[in-house]
Amino acid sequence: MRFIHAADIHLDSPLTGLSAYQDAPAELLRTATRDAFENLVSLALEEQVDFMVIAGDLYDGNWRDFNTGIFFSGQMGRLKQAGIRVYLLYGNHDAESEMTKRLALPDNVHAFSANKAETFKLDDLQVALHGRSFKVAATTENLVHTYPDPIPGWLNIGVLHTALEGHTAHANYAPCSVAELHAKGYGYWALGHVHDHQQWDGASRIAYPGNLQGRHIRETGPKGALMVTAQGPDIQSVERVIVDVLRWAALDVDVSHARTLAEVVQCVGLSLEALVSSTEGSLTLAVRVRLTGSSPAHGHLFGLESQLRAEILNQAAAIAPGRLWIEKVKVETQPIELPAQVAARADAIADLQSILANAEDDQEFLQSLREDLMQMVGKLHLDVLHAVPQLEALRNGDARDLVRSVVPSLVAHVAQAE
């Protein structure tokens, strides 16, 4: 017997920040969650699984219109024609309190109650699925204690949307511990809420499949669901199935040995080639490039962020046409000479560093700088401002962060020009 365990699908999740990038693959990003879900349903049909479990956050809050629900019903219709049942639990994003729009579910879809833990029995397979949907988004009680005892001799599956222990990056909803899950006596725990794939073995198999499709740079790497195989009451295997259609990647490039902008771009190109080679298939890759290291090229990069990104986009287009999108380039290199070493030079560069260091405490200068730059800042989109903390601080009346962040690069730039 086999079933698919999925979670955190976030159908039609709204995308933010795209307006800051004119070259973003906007259409692909907008439809990615639907395309990944279609891939999952197609896989279920191809593999002829016995049923599917969705452990919360099918949706991403209330629908803008009914099209999201209609799309889901259409996919469930495909499964119904093949006799595949679906067991759906609502999490914090699609809790009863979050959804003001609803459509009737196809009769092959069974949703867990939010009032109390509910059990669905599959007599033909001797499988019992136990679960409880969220009534309100901020469900902070431990729900495990409300789940029923296992049915002896059957495969008991607990479906739960939970932060589990130690996941500080996620809201602490329906908290519980791994030990509590093992103690319940179920054969398998189908969890949702955490967007990374994780598994625990022991008295029970416990697993997060992760979300089905990465939606931003904080959700990198392959995404998908789990294919679970059982024999009687025992779990035989739990294997990942990857269904994403666009993959986010954070690419750190050490440019310690690069001396010029051209050499930096060359280093990035080699890293992009390696990334494409290590990625199976023809997925589009959305990449954030981060340049690191104490580099002789540090000063050369000052003020050339736009050209640098254009050069890297050019490299990406040549390496994998249509497959690589550079989401952002972050310059986090360091100058070869530390501030103390520059100060010891006792020359015009050292004097410049001293003047700039004092500038962050010169209120008259800071006010003048802010007045000059606010004309430019006022024309920027909010997504850009939120992406650059120094500009956000400038808009709020503080120019110190901007001066402080610019000084090392400016000094290195002048020193190299000299």
Side-chain angles (χ1 to χ4, degrees), residues 156-178:
N156 290 268
I157 300 171
V159 186
L160 179 64
H161 201 73
T162 174
L164 207 51
E165 58 189 6
H167 289 286
T168 55
H170 296 267
N172 195 30
Y173 295 146
C176 62
S177 68
V178 170

Side-chain angles (χ1 to χ4, degrees), residues 152-221:
W154 284 33
L155 172 60
N156 290 268
I157 300 171
V159 186
L160 179 64
H161 201 73
T162 174
L164 207 51
E165 58 189 6
H167 289 286
T168 55
H170 296 267
N172 195 30
Y173 295 146
C176 62
S177 68
V178 170
E180 287 174 312
L181 298 183
H182 283 312
K184 196 69 185 181
Y186 294 173
Y188 185 81
W189 279 98
L191 304 185
H193 185 53
V194 174
H195 289 191
D196 298 314
H197 166 242
Q198 296 182 53
Q199 289 183 211
W200 294 263
D201 294 327
S204 302
R205 289 285 190 99
I206 304 168
Y208 283 111
N211 56 338
L212 211 60
Q213 169 61 56
R215 298 167 300 153
H216 44 69
I217 193 61
R218 295 186 301 279
E219 297 177 347
T220 59

Side-chain angles (χ1 to χ4, degrees), residues 53-87:
V53 175
I54 300 176
D57 288 357
L58 166 64
Y59 304 121
D60 197 69
N62 196 35
W63 311 328
R64 289 187 293 271
D65 54 49
F66 285 102
N67 286 324
T68 302
I70 292 170
F71 169 79
F72 176 67
S73 291
Q75 296 305 309
M76 294 302 96
R78 295 174 64 198
L79 295 178
K80 179 180 178 179
Q81 290 177 358
I84 297 174
R85 295 159 283 190
V86 179
Y87 297 89

Side-chain angles (χ1 to χ4, degrees), residues 40-63:
L40 182 69
V41 170
S42 295
L43 178 70
L45 295 170
E46 290 167 9
E47 297 294 330
Q48 299 180 328
V49 299
D50 292 280
F51 58 91
M52 180 185 292
V53 175
I54 300 176
D57 288 357
L58 166 64
Y59 304 121
D60 197 69
N62 196 35
W63 311 328

Side-chain angles (χ1 to χ4, degrees), residues 181-308:
L181 298 183
H182 283 312
K184 196 69 185 181
Y186 294 173
Y188 185 81
W189 279 98
L191 304 185
H193 185 53
V194 174
H195 289 191
D196 298 314
H197 166 242
Q198 296 182 53
Q199 289 183 211
W200 294 263
D201 294 327
S204 302
R205 289 285 190 99
I206 304 168
Y208 283 111
N211 56 338
L212 211 60
Q213 169 61 56
R215 298 167 300 153
H216 44 69
I217 193 61
R218 295 186 301 279
E219 297 177 347
T220 59
K223 296 292 181 179
L226 297 173
M227 179 74 75
V228 184
T229 304
Q231 181 70 42
D234 301 318
I235 299 297
Q236 302 296 311
S237 65
V238 181
E239 300 175 353
R240 289 193 82 189
V241 288
I242 306 304
V243 297
D244 55 354
V245 296
L246 176 141
R247 191 163 300 164
W248 295 82
L251 186 65
D252 286 355
V253 182
D254 185 350
V255 294
S256 298
H257 301 294
R259 294 167 296 176
T260 63
L261 174 65
E263 290 182 5
V264 168
V265 172
Q266 185 179 32
C267 289
V268 174
L270 292 172
S271 295
L272 288 173
E273 287 178 352
L275 176 64
V276 171
S277 297
S278 65
T279 304
E280 295 181 4
S282 57
L283 280 179
T284 296
L285 297 170
V287 185
R288 176 174 291 184
V289 176
R290 190 171 73 99
L291 305 180
T292 65
S294 296
S295 171
H298 179 79
H300 289 300
L301 301 178
F302 179 74
L304 296 179
E305 286 83 357
S306 294
Q307 181 180 345
L308 177 63

